[in-house]
Amino acid sequence: MKSFHTEYNPSAVEAAGNNFDDDGREKRTGTVMTASAHIITAVIGSGVLSLAWAIAQLGWVAGTVILVTFAVINYFTSTMLADCYRSPDTGIRNYNYMDVVRAYLGGWKVKLCGLAQYGSLVGITIGYTITASISLVAIGKANCFHEKGHGAKCSVSNYPLMAAFGIIQIVLSQIHNFHKLSFLSIIATVMSFSYASIGIGLALAALASGKVGKTDLTGTVVGVDVTASDKIWRSFQAAGDIAFSYAFSVVLVEIQACILSIRDDTLRSSPPENKVMKNASLAGVSTTTSFYILCGCIGYAAFGNQAPGDFLTDFGFYEPYWLIDFANACIAVHLIAAYQVFAQPIFQFFEKKCNKAWPESNFITKEYSINIPLLGKCRINFLRLVWRTTYVTLTTVVAMIFPFFNAILGLIGALTFWPLTVYFPVEMHISQKKVKKYTMRWIGLKLLVLVCLIVSLLAAVGSIVGLINSVKAYKPFHNLD
């Protein structure tokens, strides 16, 4: 069995030929555009439409400052992580986040990284199943409100929709790796722009009509909009939501490892992988920030302190119903692709372990080629088929049992944002660049780590309060009204 964990050797590139990279794997043909598409797919989710609610809790000043600040922080730490893709001294590729932490930090930090990363990824895939079904339910409800009036009681079951989402994911999960997912991410990026633009357009229309809510420099007003305790908890939760909404470190290394090829010094158009990833991160974060500011600020201006949790699914708008339907369909399509971006690292981690443990097993290692009508020739592996089908089935069942899981996801985000997005990238940067203790740079980096830890802890408290409220209102297998 060919070993894929080889040292970086310039001569190996030439020896590998045009069809393979220096590590013996199939030639990666990713570009800044495809890497950016993966990042935008991972970052811009339907949560962009809830940023008006977050700005409403914090107000114009704090909300806008936090939006821009965490965009800068996420880009800054992502560049550090991109630089750590190859191991120090040897230049060995690291195929996942845990490998990177093992190469630079080692010890118990590797296990902490694995727990945070894969716990977050599992949580996100469950959360996306729920969110996609909510968007599809909103389509049915929008049609119902249009026919029967906005005050009608419209109930749509989300369980068949979750099952349909799961079936689609079972099929898409047979795609081998990130490299083959580029077309999905490009489609998802178009969908993201579509529903975000529709949300912005509807908010602008509301502003133009003059029917707008009351806004304030400090957001919701205690005693008028919320109680004092709600103001505190919701502010914590809103700050955390904004901070986590940019995070893509959880899949950055996997994107870099699977789609970006080694530099070819003979081609001036082929920069090093870390430079390509930094450019992709800049493009992704800049695009995301622009949409976040537009959606958050214009949405808050339109709805004021009574901004809904989501423009579209919470019916901040009822008409034109066909446009609401289209936007929610775009959300669902985007989440179909985004699920794969977050699930692929889980799939590959398990499959890599199995390949290492049982390298002689045909069930695990052998690939079969079959012809599928309309799709052409496809590669099938029995381990991939059984394992990925089982995983998608389990996440779909959990989503059905715990429809309030998005509240749990907020807590998972609070607990995993700090180690994955800030702590590990900063610590590895200090190790890589040999930053001396107590220098101005070292102190600045440590202060960044501390501030982000405090934000994560406060957001975790706010998420726990929200989770308690969700559990109190929980009704098993109850339709979304």
Side-chain angles (χ1 to χ4, degrees), residues 11 26 45 55 60 70 85 137 161 177 190-191 197 218 275 296 302 321 366 393 399 424 476:
S11 62
E26 184 180 347
I55 300 292
W60 286 116
F70 277 99
Y85 169 52
V137 163
L161 299 172
N177 56 35
V190 174
M191 294 298 102
S197 298
T218 57
K275 186 174 181 180
Y321 79 99
K366 191 169 183 179
T393 302
F424 287 130

Side-chain angles (χ1 to χ4, degrees), residues 295-356:
C295 279
C297 294
I298 295 176
Y300 180 44
F303 293 105
N305 295 335
Q306 300 303 316
D310 187 296
F311 282 3
L312 302 174
T313 59
D314 287 347
F315 291 93
F317 306 101
Y318 287 91
E319 301 292 343
Y321 79 99
W322 57 268
L323 189 60
I324 306 296
D325 287 354
F326 177 73
N328 277 305
C330 288
I331 292 174
V333 172
H334 170 247
L335 293 176
I336 287 171
Y339 182 104
Q340 286 299 313
V341 170
F342 287 100
Q344 283 291 330
I346 303 171
F347 297 154
Q348 291 165 18
F349 175 78
F350 180 81
E351 288 158 14
K352 180 182 175 182
K353 292 290 185 183
C354 290
N355 270 278
K356 188 175 180 179

Side-chain angles (χ1 to χ4, degrees), residues 23-73:
D23 56 354
R25 293 191 175 187
E26 184 180 347
K27 188 76 173 179
R28 300 160 175 87
T29 58
T31 62
V32 171
M33 186 184 77
T34 54
S36 299
H38 281 311
I39 291 171
I40 293 171
T41 299
V43 178
I44 297 185
S46 59
V48 66
L49 302 172
S50 68
L51 287 175
W53 177 88
I55 300 292
Q57 311 314 309
L58 299 165
W60 286 116
V61 178
T64 307
V65 169
I66 290 174
L67 265 174
V68 175
T69 299
F70 277 99
V72 174
I73 290 173

Side-chain angles (χ1 to χ4, degrees), residues 73-205:
I73 290 173
N74 273 274
Y75 171 68
F76 180 57
T77 58
S78 71
T79 61
M80 295 178 178
L81 191 54
D83 281 336
C84 296
Y85 169 52
R86 288 185 179 272
S87 297
D89 303 324
T90 64
I92 291 176
R93 290 178 186 265
N94 294 297
Y95 298 114
N96 56 59
Y97 205 143
M98 285 180 69
D99 285 346
V100 174
V101 174
R102 184 178 291 108
Y104 283 89
L105 302 176
W108 59 270
K109 294 177 182 178
V110 179
K111 293 182 179 179
L112 174 61
C113 173
L115 180 64
Q117 182 187 16
Y118 292 105
S120 177
L121 291 171
V122 171
I124 289 170
T125 55
I126 296 171
Y128 278 5
T129 304
I130 297 169
T131 307
S133 73
I134 290 172
S135 294
L136 293 172
V137 163
I139 293 174
K141 292 173 73 173
N143 294 335
C144 174
F145 288 138
H146 176 72
E147 293 174 4
K148 300 180 180 179
H150 299 169
K153 183 173 177 59
C154 296
S155 179
V156 179
S157 176
N158 58 325
Y159 296 109
L161 299 172
M162 286 186 187
F165 183 86
I167 291 169
I168 293 171
Q169 293 304 335
I170 287 173
V171 175
L172 292 178
S173 291
Q174 303 313 311
I175 296 175
H176 188 57
N177 56 35
F178 270 119
H179 181 53
K180 305 296 184 184
L181 283 175
S182 295
F183 76 96
L184 267 183
S185 286
I186 291 171
I187 292 171
T189 300
V190 174
M191 294 298 102
S192 299
F193 292 161
S194 298
Y195 65 71
S197 298
I198 289 170
I200 293 168
L202 290 171
L204 284 172

